[in-house]
Amino acid sequence: MNISPSKLNTFLMFKLPAAYFTGVRTKSLDDTTCVVTVKHRWINQNPFNSMFWAVQGMAAELTTGALVMTKIKGSGKKISMLVANNNATFTKKATGRITFTCKEGHKIDDAIAKTIKTGEGQTVWLSANGINSDGVEVSSFNFEWTLKVKS
């Protein structure tokens, strides 16, 4: 079974309902890029009438995590994945529809190849930037993913 945007959105509904009910949705996924959107609504706002930082974080993490899951599935190996570290920068109030994009699938290929070859855990930093409908960056997230072949 291939990983697709619709399958990821169904997965969210059953396994990560907080992300689903706050409006996080996968729009596209290919070998190098994942795009996830979330719209500012009452359910995901903070007291300052903008999107709560954690909702942005869920959308940003999904862009990177979906790419990692896709690459692991494509490797044919059983590989564990876990976020070991993350950081974020917020530059503008997040209102309207925010689109998060990660275009770093190539980095995951290298980490998976190394963990398969050596059997040792590998880490890879992936970034996802949140852009509003005016094309202005509102936030930038970085996630350090650890990958290791399961024994």
Side-chain angles (χ1 to χ4, degrees), residues 8-140:
L8 279 172
N9 293 333
T10 302
F11 173 81
L12 287 180
M13 184 168 52
F14 291 106
K15 298 294 185 179
L16 297 169
Y20 184 82
F21 289 118
T22 56
V24 175
R25 298 292 185 275
T26 307
K27 294 299 179 184
S28 67
L29 174 64
D30 62 32
D31 197 45
T32 59
T33 305
C34 183
V35 177
V36 173
T37 66
V38 61
K39 185 176 180 183
H40 173 240
R41 300 182 304 164
W42 173 84
I43 191 94
N44 62 23
Q45 74 179 356
N46 61 28
F48 311 106
N49 292 322
S50 64
M51 193 179 300
F52 186 54
W53 69 268
V55 175
Q56 294 180 65
M58 287 189 289
E61 183 181 0
L62 181 59
T63 62
T64 62
L67 280 173
V68 174
M69 289 185 333
T70 300
K71 296 292 187 167
I72 288 172
K73 184 155 182 64
S75 76
K77 301 286 185 180
K78 292 190 179 282
I79 299 173
S80 64
M81 58 186 273
L82 180 69
V83 172
N85 200 350
N86 78 303
N87 61 58
T89 304
F90 302 90
T91 52
K92 185 164 175 46
K93 201 172 186 174
T95 58
R97 184 168 304 279
I98 309 300
T99 302
F100 289 89
T101 306
C102 178
K103 299 178 181 180
E104 299 177 328
H106 62 282
K107 290 183 178 181
I108 305 163
D109 292 331
D110 297 337
I112 287 176
K114 284 180 186 174
T115 195
I116 291 171
K117 182 179 179 181
T118 66
E120 296 177 5
Q122 300 294 315
T123 63
V124 59
W125 279 95
L126 301 173
S127 63
N129 298 324
I131 308 294
N132 67 15
S133 55
D134 295 329
V136 177
E137 182 177 293
V138 298
S139 58
S140 176

